[in-house]
Amino acid sequence: MDKILIVGPASQILGIKIALELGIEAINTETKLFPDGENYLRINIEDETRITEKEVIIVQSTGPSFNRTQNARIMELLMMIDSVKRMGAAKTTVIIPYLAYARQDKRFRPGESKFAEILIQLLNSSGINELFAVDVHSPSILEECSCKAINIDSMKILADYIKSKGTKEIIVVSPDKGAEERSRLFATHFGANVPVEVFEKKRDLKTGEIKMSGSLSLKNRDVVIADDIIATGGTMAKAIKLAKLSGARKIFAVATHALLLQQAKYRILNAGADEIIGTDSIDNEVSKVSLAKIIADYLR
Ligand code: R5P
């Protein structure tokens, strides 16, 4: 079946790169906000038969970017899915490099919703045939998908980038217990027996305030602090300060999804990081590692 790719407004660079990797046609969209705040999206196409009977691949991250919230990005995604189905797509494959709301996978306090699950239900009801997301905060939420759903792992390509920086005596630090398993897997990409240390993080569920503890011997070590998401940078900044106090030489702050909200860049660099590294799941100045090839490999 012929493939065609729709480049979502939130994934312009990554979308084009995936189309180039696959050697297939890419179509852009046009978007705007109506005066009342509603989203508008149109796939930039005059002849709808270009979509009919094709396998359509939609690439759209759902992080906040370029003056659009994650809610707007989700609405745009649902609009793209609806539009290609109305144009007669034979198969709809959706790539969501950053899956928003994935951190709301549990009810932490009475009265809360479990919105990660609702988002998956929305995607189910949209009638997609395949879903690919990258390093989902809680990959188990993909089990709620009624179609094939794959969580793509970006750890190897992030590790390759860091190794290209001439790092020595690497130690991987997990900023909390939740990230430990991922950090242990991440460490294996730097070689056998690369140590992993875990800090203890406690977040106040009401205020969001973070307390972190841990003291390690990091003297003469290049430290890689790895997390799935950097949002406000609070977690990273605390971990970096502890790593500095523990004698780290160089510090790399690494996340698949570097949302960099509010003053995250300042907080992380001011805490002592040498570099912030993210993937192009979020299109910003730290998206140094492209997901295009690993995503394309799943689509060939
Ligand atoms: C939480 O469990 C995540 O893995 C990240 O640690 C968290 O989202 C980072 O948030 P922030 O940058 O605001 O501290």
Side-chain angles (χ1 to χ4, degrees):
M1 197 187 312
D2 286 346
K3 294 185 170 84
I4 193 160
L5 189 144
I6 310 295
V7 179
S11 297
Q12 296 273 283
I13 298 175
L14 178 59
I16 285 285
K17 283 186 179 172
I18 296 172
L20 287 172
E21 281 283 345
L22 294 171
I24 61 173
E25 188 187 353
I27 303 182
N28 211 357
T29 62
E30 55 177 80
T31 63
K32 65 180 177 188
L33 285 182
F34 283 110
D36 61 1
E38 284 184 6
N39 285 94
Y40 169 88
L41 179 139
R42 170 183 170 268
I43 292 177
N44 209 343
I45 200 167
E46 296 303 332
D47 175 7
E48 295 195 345
T49 62
R50 283 166 69 196
I51 297 289
T52 313
E53 296 304 319
K54 297 259 172 65
E55 174 179 348
V56 181
I57 299 164
I58 297 172
V59 184
Q60 167 84 339
S61 226
T62 54
S65 60
F66 307 114
N67 291 329
R68 292 283 195 276
T69 63
Q70 52 273 69
N71 298 338
R73 295 315 193 186
I74 291 165
M75 295 306 274
E76 290 167 349
L77 172 63
L78 294 171
M79 287 175 180
M80 283 185 276
I81 296 167
D82 178 56
S83 171
V84 302
K85 292 190 87 64
R86 287 177 192 278
M87 288 188 276
K91 179 177 175 189
T92 310
T93 296
V94 171
I95 316 293
I96 309 180
Y98 169 71
L99 182 66
Y101 288 97
R103 288 177 291 175
Q104 295 194 40
D105 61 320
K106 288 188 193 80
R107 301 176 74 236
F108 297 95
R109 298 179 63 201
E112 287 182 345
S113 153
K114 194 172 167 188
F115 201 75
E117 214 172 283
I118 302 302
L119 181 56
I120 297 293
Q121 284 167 15
L122 280 171
L123 289 166
N124 286 341
S125 64
S126 73
I128 61 173
N129 301 100
E130 282 183 353
L131 170 65
F132 295 87
V134 182
D135 291 340
V136 176
H137 181 68
S138 245
S140 60
I141 62 161
L142 295 184
E143 289 163 16
E144 302 294 327
C145 283
S146 52
C147 66
K148 170 179 158 187
I150 306 271
N151 181 40
I152 297 176
D153 175 348
S154 75
M155 284 184 267
K156 181 177 181 308
I157 55 174
L158 282 166
D160 287 346
Y161 176 87
I162 296 162
K163 284 191 280 187
S164 76
K165 295 272 156 176
T167 40
K168 288 187 290 236
E169 306 280 329
I170 286 188
I171 182 163
V172 174
V173 169
S174 172
D176 60 23
K177 285 237 173 282
E180 182 176 354
E181 194 185 326
R182 189 172 186 275
S183 297
R184 292 202 181 280
L185 283 171
F186 192 40
T188 61
H189 294 292
F190 292 100
N193 307 320
V194 168
V196 179
E197 298 288 354
V198 184
F199 287 150
E200 190 85 39
K201 174 174 111 177
K202 285 210 171 77
R203 192 189 284 269
D204 185 302
L205 288 179
K206 286 188 186 158
T207 63
E209 197 202 329
I210 295 168
K211 289 206 172 99
M212 197 176 287
S213 56
S215 168
L216 315 165
S217 175
L218 302 176
K219 210 164 177 342
N220 295 326
R221 291 283 198 166
D222 286 344
V223 176
V224 176
I225 306 177
D227 212 344
D228 56 340
I229 300 168
I230 298 174
T232 64
T235 302
M236 259 309 160
K238 293 261 188 219
I240 292 161
K241 279 186 190 149
L242 280 180
K244 270 271 167 213
L245 285 173
S246 306
R249 185 170 44 197
K250 281 197 167 171
I251 301 180
F252 297 88
V254 187
T256 310
H257 313 293
L259 304 177
L260 300 183
L261 308 175
Q262 300 163 9
Q263 300 197 2
K265 280 179 279 189
Y266 173 84
R267 294 172 95 173
I268 292 170
L269 294 175
N270 190 48
D274 290 272
E275 189 172 344
I276 308 171
I277 300 155
T279 73
D280 51 5
S281 76
I282 304 295
D283 186 357
N284 62 19
E285 62 275 34
V286 305
S287 37
K288 299 168 183 174
V289 175
S290 182
L291 299 165
K293 187 167 182 316
I294 53 168
I295 291 176
D297 285 345
Y298 276 93
L299 301 170
R300 285 183 219 280

